[in-house]
Amino acid sequence: MSRYRKIFNRIFTSIFLVVLLSINNQSLAADGAALFKANCASCHKIDKDFTGPALKGWKDRVPAGDWIYKWIGNPGAQTDPYSTTLKAKWKPVVMTKFDNLKKDEVDAILKYVDDWAPPTPTAVPGGEPATDNSLLFGILTLVLALIAFILLQVNSNLRKLSDEKEGVLRPEPVPAYKNKTYLMAGILLLFAVGGYYTINGAIGMGRMQNYQPEQPIFYSHQVHAGTNQISCLYCHGGAQDSKQASIPSVNTCMNCHKSINKYEGPDKLVREDGTAVDGTAEIQKLYAYAGWNEATKTYNADKNNDGNPDGAKPIEWVKVHNLPDHVYFNHSQHVKVGKQQCQTCHGNIQQMPEVYQFSTLSMGWCINCHRDTKVDFYDKENKTGNKYYSIYEKFHKDLKSGKMDSVTVEKIGGTECQKCHY
């Protein structure tokens, strides 16, 4: 019996090691995918250009050696010809530096990108695409774990029978639910898993990346800012003159839509879920909010003397971007002084049929931008740059003497707590 027990233990140990190695390999692959989604997916797609270039085939494009690690660590500091060309191509978008990523984490992301392949639905009887088998694999894993537990119990019982037959006295085994080692391992496991999800939940609390509410009127930035090339500042004039970008009044919309009463654009209007939208019907909703009579081409009479056409009321737009109350953000300081494009924070707004929150708007995201963004100092000789920064005489002298090649927002106090918190 002892010989069989040794054989069984060796077989079980071998199976356990194989399963452990398999799980480890899968976790490494999952780490690459998780790191890509956490750090890269908001600006990059693997197979096509997005806010940044497509990542597939990166190895054939970039310089050899450790260039890729330097670029990911701090893109703004790279001045080689390829980096300069890359920045010029994707201007004004500047990639955020990820100096927090270790070399093995970067390698995991790059391996995930290299190994990635577009999903290909497999044909099955009936012509429907194959479904995801993750649930089936999960069930099989549980079944195998249950079988392993049963085999352990069988082994324990066989050992007990063998001991009784040979007259060997052994103490009664401690049940699993009373075993202090098992209990402590279970408690530590629960504590680790619970702590992980609790901390992640706390870190992400209040962040609303990809939030995309349905608005009372379907307004397509793709049509207005993209196809018709209407400047963002025409509707959101406060972005360059005040703290708030401001929501345009109904009158601003009516400046154009007094004449444009039908949607005749080249592209079909479609919601995020694929539902078709009648653009002309949405314009009629605007007329109802404005109190506009399309037949007479005039506003309704103000019979109740409240200063507005009868039936007119504000459009109850749903706010998309929300910052905590303790955070100060000034649009004009970024747009007029910092000369930032709207796309820096809001993504390719001109390509969005329905607006969603593109960036995380987290503190780390803002700080990284301040660390990378260079200050546009005023050049008295060429009369170029921003006069707002003319007070920083020391930096002007250091730049002129060659002690510094550039100054970022961080160096002029852009990461001080009181700049954003009050």
Side-chain angles (χ1 to χ4, degrees), residues 79-324:
T79 57
D80 60 277
Y82 183 79
S83 300
T84 304
T85 304
L86 195 61
K87 293 175 186 176
K89 180 180 178 181
W90 294 94
K91 186 178 179 181
V93 178
V94 180
M95 177 174 164
T96 303
K97 68 177 180 180
F98 291 94
D99 51 359
N100 59 314
L101 290 177
K102 300 177 182 177
K103 187 175 183 296
D104 56 344
E105 292 176 327
V106 174
D107 290 337
I109 294 174
L110 297 177
K111 185 178 185 305
Y112 168 73
V113 171
D114 292 337
D115 296 343
W116 181 89
T120 53
T122 306
V124 296
E128 296 180 357
T131 56
D132 186 9
N133 294 321
S134 300
L135 179 61
L136 176 61
F137 291 146
I139 294 174
L140 288 175
T141 303
L142 291 175
V143 170
L144 290 173
L146 181 61
I147 292 173
F149 180 75
I150 293 173
L151 290 175
L152 286 173
Q153 295 301 315
V154 170
N155 180 54
S156 177
N157 291 331
L158 289 174
R159 183 188 303 171
K160 183 177 180 181
L161 291 173
S162 174
D163 291 342
E164 290 178 355
K165 185 176 181 180
E166 295 176 0
V168 177
L169 298 177
R170 294 181 187 273
E172 287 290 329
V174 180
Y177 65 89
K178 291 184 178 180
N179 190 306
K180 293 182 179 180
T181 303
Y182 292 163
L183 290 175
M184 181 56 67
I187 291 172
L188 291 175
L189 179 63
L190 289 174
F191 182 80
V193 173
Y196 172 79
Y197 284 106
T198 300
I199 291 172
N200 274 354
I203 291 174
M205 189 177 295
R207 297 186 188 176
M208 302 172 67
Q209 188 176 20
N210 298 320
Y211 173 58
Q212 188 179 46
E214 185 173 337
Q215 302 292 351
I217 297 178
F218 182 87
Y219 180 90
S220 173
H221 278 75
Q222 185 178 30
V223 170
H224 291 79
T227 304
N228 295 320
Q229 297 290 302
I230 299 174
S231 170
C232 298
L233 296 176
Y234 177 76
C235 300
H236 302 284
Q240 67 176 353
D241 297 320
S242 67
K243 174 184 175 182
Q244 306 293 345
S246 72
I247 297 174
S249 65
V250 179
N251 285 338
T252 302
C253 303
M254 290 301 297
N255 287 340
C256 297
H257 284 286
K258 285 180 181 179
S259 302
I260 304 172
N261 57 9
K262 292 182 181 179
Y263 176 71
E264 298 175 336
D267 301 320
K268 293 183 179 179
L269 299 179
V270 182
R271 294 188 186 275
E272 190 69 21
D273 59 2
T275 307
V277 177
D278 184 350
T280 302
E282 298 301 313
I283 295 175
Q284 296 300 319
K285 291 182 183 178
L286 172 64
Y287 290 163
Y289 279 105
W292 173 261
N293 189 320
E294 185 184 358
T296 61
K297 303 296 182 182
T298 58
Y299 288 103
N300 298 332
D302 182 15
K303 296 180 180 179
N304 56 6
N305 296 319
D306 64 350
N308 296 309
D310 288 350
K313 59 180 180 179
I315 303 173
E316 297 178 352
W317 299 108
V318 181
K319 191 174 183 180
V320 178
H321 304 85
N322 295 282
L323 289 177

Side-chain angles (χ1 to χ4, degrees), residues 50-65:
F50 192 43
T51 305
L55 297 184
K56 194 70 173 177
W58 64 271
K59 195 176 295 183
D60 299 329
R61 302 193 302 264
V62 307

Side-chain angles (χ1 to χ4, degrees), residues 39-40 43-44 52-53 55 68 71-76 86-87 90 92-98 101 368-369 372-373:
N39 299 281
C40 314
C43 296
H44 291 281
L55 297 184
I68 189 67
W71 172 262
I72 293 174
N74 190 357
L86 195 61
K87 293 175 186 176
W90 294 94
V93 178
V94 180
M95 177 174 164
T96 303
K97 68 177 180 180
F98 291 94
L101 290 177
N368 283 335
C369 185
D372 295 338
T373 303

Side-chain angles (χ1 to χ4, degrees), residues 341-353:
Q341 299 296 317
C342 302
Q343 288 84 350
T344 303
C345 300
H346 296 289
N348 292 327
I349 196 79
Q350 72 279 6
Q351 297 176 6
M352 296 182 188

